[in-house]
């Protein structure tokens, strides 16, 4: 069952504070968070979060398409890399 | 030992079994578009001496059934079972301006703007939120760096290094 819409998206409160501080500082930093359950909101777009996967903080660069998803969806707790073959990395 | 540079061999598939009595084999492709395994011309074994060419390819589930040039019976196909298929890096097509092959990025040095060495790239990943690099320091510690213009302003594959402007707490955990 999905979350009732009248409640609005769930976000841990401290993320707003961290995001705001990061924006104001203007420094090259990754905002380290443990809140995998929080929803990605439009005000997080353009920031880079380090989302904990139980072991390390995985860099998550937030863009418009990610709004509405949870942070944890971009930081898998189990990783199977497979073979590199001809895979390409795009610099964002 | 694999050759260096553009002649080094990159693993792109493996023969996992045989199919039928006419010498067809079952292939597992590791390429980003699986059917592209047939577009790289003749494929080599790990030593770079033996080569096979894919004549036709048919998808069956996650695998492909391939007809190889010169393999016409089941015994010939059986002899290829388990062989890993490589292709020279030079056969990969050119990439767009902001794209790099994982094979080029892995193993190169990560250096700060001030010349400080952070280690080498040991893996590249992308879980849907942009690519990032796994950087391993000489002492074995690992950290991740987002592969973005902000953190990696300059990529110099020919010189074998990335110029980075990492966050303040990079490599401090």
């Amino acid at each position: 069952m999905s979350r009732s819409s009248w409640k609005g998206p769930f976000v841990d409160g401290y993320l707003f504070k961290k995001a705001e501080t990061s924006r104001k500082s203007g420094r090259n930093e990754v905002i380290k968070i443990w809140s995998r359950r929080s929803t990605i909101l439009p005000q997080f777009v353009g920031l880079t979060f380090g989302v904990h996967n139980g072991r390390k903080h995985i860099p998550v660069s937030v863009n418009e398409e990610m709004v509405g998803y949870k942070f944890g969806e971009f930081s898998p707790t189990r990783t199977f890399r497979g073979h590199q073959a001809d895979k390409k990395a795009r610099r964002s | 030992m694999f050759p260096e540079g553009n002649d080094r061999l990159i693993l792109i598939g493996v023969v996992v079994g045989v199919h039928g009595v006419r010498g067809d084999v079952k292939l597992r492709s590791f390429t980003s578009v699986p059917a592209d395994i047939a577009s790289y011309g003749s494929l080599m074994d790990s030593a770079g001496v033996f080569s096979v060419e894919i004549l036709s390819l048919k998808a069956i589930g996650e695998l492909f059934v391939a007809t190889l040039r010169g393999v016409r019976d089941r015994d010939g196909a059986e002899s290829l079972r388990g062989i890993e298929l490589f292709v020279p890096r030079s056969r990969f097509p050119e990439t767009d301006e902001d794209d790099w092959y994982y094979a080029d990025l892995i193993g190169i040095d990560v250096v700060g703007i001030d010349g400080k060495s952070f280690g080498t790239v040991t893996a590249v990943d992308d879980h849907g939120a942009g690519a990032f690099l796994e950087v391993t320091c000489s002492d074995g510690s690992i950290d991740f760096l987002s592969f973005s213009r902000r953190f990696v302003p300059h990529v110099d594959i020919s010189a074998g290094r990335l110029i980075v402007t990492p966050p303040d707490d990079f490599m401090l955990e």
Side-chain angles (χ1 to χ4, degrees):
Chain A
M1 183 187 287
S2 58
R3 180 180 167 87
S4 296
S5 57
W6 63 267
K7 293 178 182 174
F10 173 81
V11 186
D12 269 316
Y14 77 93
L15 294 190
F16 292 111
K17 201 171 168 186
K18 279 195 161 190
E20 193 59 31
T21 309
S22 173
R23 273 201 197 282
K24 280 182 181 164
S25 74
R27 287 189 316 190
N28 235 9
E29 67 177 346
V30 173
I31 305 163
K32 290 192 172 172
I33 60 170
W34 281 258
S35 177
R36 301 169 55 82
R37 60 185 183 167
S38 293
T39 307
I40 298 175
L41 300 180
Q43 49 263 54
F44 298 151
V45 170
L47 298 174
T48 301
F49 291 83
V51 183
H52 203 249
N53 71 351
R55 198 170 60 92
K56 284 277 185 184
H57 292 273
I58 303 295
V60 172
S61 303
V62 178
N63 60 42
E64 290 92 347
E65 292 171 3
M66 292 158 64
V67 172
Y69 288 85
K70 308 283 186 186
F71 278 107
E73 294 182 71
F74 302 99
S75 176
T77 55
R78 297 172 177 85
T79 306
F80 172 71
R81 288 216 172 95
H83 295 276
Q84 63 196 37
D86 62 352
K87 293 187 186 83
K88 283 181 262 189
R90 171 166 280 266
R91 186 169 58 167
S92 53
Chain B
M1 189 72 191
F2 295 123
E4 294 295 321
N6 271 357
D7 292 331
R8 71 188 190 280
L9 299 176
I10 311 288
L11 178 65
I12 62 165
V14 63
V15 178
V16 294
V18 298
H19 180 85
V21 294
R22 294 180 184 163
D24 291 348
V25 295
K26 287 182 190 164
L27 287 181
R28 184 179 299 281
S29 172
F30 301 138
T31 52
S32 41
V33 178
D36 281 356
I37 192 170
S39 67
Y40 287 113
S42 61
L43 309 176
M44 302 171 186
D45 66 349
S46 58
V49 287
F50 167 84
S51 73
V52 292
E53 189 177 343
I54 297 171
L55 295 179
S56 71
L57 206 58
K58 183 180 163 192
I60 295 185
E62 292 182 347
L63 302 176
F64 287 98
V65 170
T67 306
L68 306 178
R69 185 182 296 281
V71 182
R72 294 183 181 182
D73 58 18
R74 190 174 175 97
D75 289 341
E78 281 284 1
S79 68
L80 299 176
R81 189 193 288 265
I83 284 194
E84 292 178 322
L85 303 170
F86 293 79
V87 68
R89 162 66 186 84
S90 55
R91 290 217 204 129
F92 286 179
E94 287 290 314
T95 58
D96 295 336
E97 187 189 349
D98 268 336
D99 288 347
W100 283 273
Y101 286 110
Y102 283 19
D104 290 339
L105 293 171
I106 292 171
I108 66 175
D109 295 328
V110 179
V111 182
I113 278 184
D114 55 358
K116 180 186 175 188
S117 175
F118 289 103
T120 56
V121 177
T122 46
V124 186
D125 259 327
D126 189 343
H127 302 310
F132 64 92
L133 311 169
E134 180 188 282
V135 181
T136 304
C137 194
S138 55
D139 66 3
S141 60
I142 291 172
D143 209 344
F144 300 103
L145 189 64
S146 180
F147 191 47
S148 60
R149 285 186 178 278
R150 187 171 145 210
F151 295 114
V152 188
H154 189 66
V155 180
D156 193 347
I157 297 293
S158 55
R161 65 181 182 176
L162 301 176
I163 309 289
V164 300
T165 52
D168 298 339
D169 55 355
F170 185 62
M171 283 290 180
L172 291 181
E173 268 187 23

